[in-house]
Structure formats: structure tokens, C-alpha cells
Amino acid sequence: MGTIDIIIPVYKPEKNFFTLIERLEKQTVPINRILLLNTEQKYFERLIYGTSFLEKYRNVYVWHLSKREFNHGGTRKKGVQKSDASVFVMMTQDAVPEDEHMLENLVKPLEDGMVAASYARQLAAEDSSEIERYMRMFNYPEESRRKTKADLPSLGIKTYFCSNVCAAYNRKIYDELGGFIKHTIFNEDMIYAAAAIQAGYEIVYAAGAKVIHSHNYTFSQQFRRNFDLGVSQADHPEVFSGISSEGEGVTMLKSVSSHLWKSGKKRMIPRLYIEGIYRYAGYTLGKHYKGLSQKMILRCTMNKTYWEQTGRIRSSEGIDAARGYGKTEEERQGRMG
């Protein structure tokens, strides 16, 4: 299998972050290095102040970046560049291994050279709502699954599903495919997985690798998260065009509703459908964001920094670095007297 590095983007970590590191240190397979890409140095230093964190965990390395630099794809791509391990694992700071076998079960599928990535099962935390708990069970069932291009007719968009909440990657295949997209608002993991599937590789859902990870989002947060999801799909038609995800959402809604009814929690059904309305409204607006004003986009998104970065990228596209000024339209099209 070779060496394994763990790569974790970090922002405003709280004390449960220590639990994550402690449980990673107790895994049954050795970890070479834990690479932390921390946004805003002051928040990380506030957490570890007065502790012996860096002395205790000698295999933990920290790089700091500003909030304006963070990007879901680009930051993770930088993290991979800092690793020379043959297998790297992407995690988020709020995902905690359920047991000491998580990493072992996660990386095992990569022993097959055709597996580009494997991702873990996500279990709801104890404080999760019944809706969130069942949705985790729906999206992350008990059975593992290997996914290939042949599954597209039956699984649709779920063929490409992979989650960087906790996922292991074959570095050789990653480099061959060009890695994570550098600038994206969301879904860098699915975009990569789609490229791997289309190239003939496999993505594995490793149900035996379990992490505790869930959210109790408000209606507004659901709206914003799904707005960004819609933007991601609109920006990457090469992945999402012709593969509808709405049907999967309806199926999940019906399944959760049935569960609440049968388990005697009927009073939660109205909230479920209100939440579904917010999700769908955000997703639909996101898919059509190009028709919205910048002001409206900033009101809808969960990731304002992304749009600031997008603006800077667009502003620089017309700049001729050799001559020090913006090119005219004629210059850009090559019509130079």
C-alpha cells in the first residue's frame, strides 16, 4: 500500500478537533503525516494556545493561508502537492473516525490498481435530528459498492458521488488525471470522481470505514448550501449535463417521510417538506445563477469568498503582463493592424 498522508483543510477549529487528531493517531495502519491547511492563523493559534499540541503530535504539519485564498478545489490541490505519499486521505475537520479501523477499511480498496478513490460511510452525531439521522442512513447505507461507467444507466449522478469529508486517493491515478479542479465553489470530489469514472477507473464506497459527521442546518443554510450545489452543476456541464439529480432528491424525500410516519414521528413531516422546498429553491436558483445580479448571488451563496476570487480571475484575464495594461478586444482576438 505504501505511505499514507492525511490532508485536512481547517477553519476556526474547536476543541473537538483534538478528538479527530487523537483518533487518527490510534488507527490500525500507520499515518506518515497529517497535513493541515489552516485558514486564518489567529484561529488555529487561539485553539492550541497553552497546549503542547505541536510537540505531542510530531507528524502534524501546519500551513496557514488567508480567507481570501481558500478554495475548495485549489486549497486541497495545494495540500496534495505538499504530500509525497502513495495514498492520501482528504478529511474535513468535523469528521471523526468512529473506530480505530476506519483508515484500514478506507484504504484497502485501493490495493486494486483500478480504484481511483474510496470514500467512507458517514454516521450522524448523537445530537442530530431524526431527519438528519435518516438522511445519513439513506445516503450512506451499510453495504459497500464499487462504481464504474457501467453503473451510469442505473445509478445516474450517484455513480460520480464521492465525498472529501473522508476519502482516500490513489496518488498515481490522481496525478495522471490532473488532480482536483483548482477553482470551484463545491463538488471538487465529484468532479474528480467523474473524470476517474470516464477514464475507466472505479470509485468505491467503503461502508466499513465509518466517520461521525452530520449537520443540523437551518432552512437558510440548506438554501445556501444547495444554491452552491446548483452553481457547481451549472459550471460543469461536462460532468452533470444530461444526468438529473432532482429524481434522487424526490426519492430521498419520500423515503424519509415514510420513515417518520412509521416511526411515530409524524409531527416532523411538515418540517421535512419545508426543508425540501428550501433545498430545491436554492438548487434551482444556483443552476440559473448566470441570470442573477451579483448582489443577489452574494445573498444566496454560502461561499462569498469564491465569488470574490472569481471576480479577481475575470479581472486579470484581459491583462497583458508583458505590456502592463489591459488588452483591447481587438488585441484579444488577434486583430493587430
Side-chain angles (χ1 to χ4, degrees), residues 78-146:
K78 287 180 182 177
V80 179
Q81 290 169 350
K82 296 180 183 298
S83 168
D84 59 3
S86 54
V87 171
F88 65 88
V89 175
M90 302 302 314
M91 292 190 70
T92 55
Q93 70 187 52
D94 57 350
V96 178
E98 198 265 346
D99 59 33
E100 68 272 19
H101 298 285
M102 183 280 290
L103 188 58
E104 176 186 350
N105 292 328
L106 182 68
V107 301
K108 187 172 181 58
L110 271 63
E111 293 175 358
D112 181 336
M114 292 305 294
V115 175
S118 61
Y119 63 99
R121 183 183 183 192
Q122 297 181 29
L123 306 175
E126 290 183 1
D127 63 349
S128 297
S129 69
E130 185 64 22
I131 293 174
E132 175 70 6
R133 188 177 301 276
Y134 187 80
M135 283 184 174
R136 291 288 155 179
M137 292 174 59
F138 180 89
N139 289 320
Y140 300 93
E142 295 180 354
E143 302 80 22
S144 297
R145 175 146 192 176
R146 300 171 74 94

Side-chain angles (χ1 to χ4, degrees), residues 161-302:
F161 186 77
C162 181
S163 176
N164 272 344
V165 163
C166 185
Y169 292 84
N170 178 316
R171 179 61 183 269
K172 182 178 179 182
I173 297 175
Y174 175 91
D175 288 339
E176 175 192 325
L177 298 177
F180 298 127
I181 186 170
K182 186 176 181 180
H183 183 64
T184 183
I185 193 169
F186 207 56
N187 270 342
E188 79 291 334
D189 37 22
M190 283 188 69
I191 294 167
Y192 175 81
I197 290 285
Q198 290 298 328
Y201 293 110
E202 300 177 9
I203 301 295
V204 171
Y205 167 55
K210 294 173 282 189
V211 293
I212 300 169
H213 177 262
S214 56
H215 295 287
N216 288 317
Y217 284 139
T218 63
F219 293 146
S220 175
Q221 288 171 325
Q222 290 286 10
F223 174 90
R224 296 174 191 278
R225 185 180 187 279
N226 281 272
F227 177 86
D228 291 351
L229 175 62
V231 169
S232 170
Q233 294 195 11
D235 281 348
H236 295 281
E238 76 281 4
V239 175
F240 300 103
S241 179
I243 303 179
S244 174
S245 60
E246 289 90 335
E248 183 65 23
V250 171
T251 300
M252 182 173 68
L253 194 66
K254 290 180 178 178
S255 182
V256 178
S257 180
S258 175
H259 166 74
L260 293 175
W261 184 274
K262 293 176 181 178
S263 60
K265 298 179 180 178
K266 303 173 187 177
R267 291 182 179 181
M268 299 185 72
I269 293 177
R271 177 180 176 85
L272 170 67
Y273 279 91
I274 293 171
E275 184 177 295
I277 291 170
Y278 274 83
R279 286 173 180 262
Y280 184 72
Y283 172 76
T284 302
L285 270 180
K287 287 198 74 171
H288 299 90
Y289 81 92
K290 293 177 182 178
L292 303 178
S293 67
Q294 186 72 4
K295 183 178 180 180
M296 185 64 174
I297 288 172
L298 292 177
R299 290 182 65 183
C300 293
T301 186
M302 189 177 265

Side-chain angles (χ1 to χ4, degrees), residues 55-70:
E55 290 76 19
K56 181 178 181 181
Y57 302 110
R58 290 292 183 176
N59 64 338
V60 173
Y61 297 81
V62 187
W63 287 269
H64 299 290
L65 59 149
S66 67
K67 189 175 180 180
R68 73 194 301 266
E69 292 177 280
F70 177 82

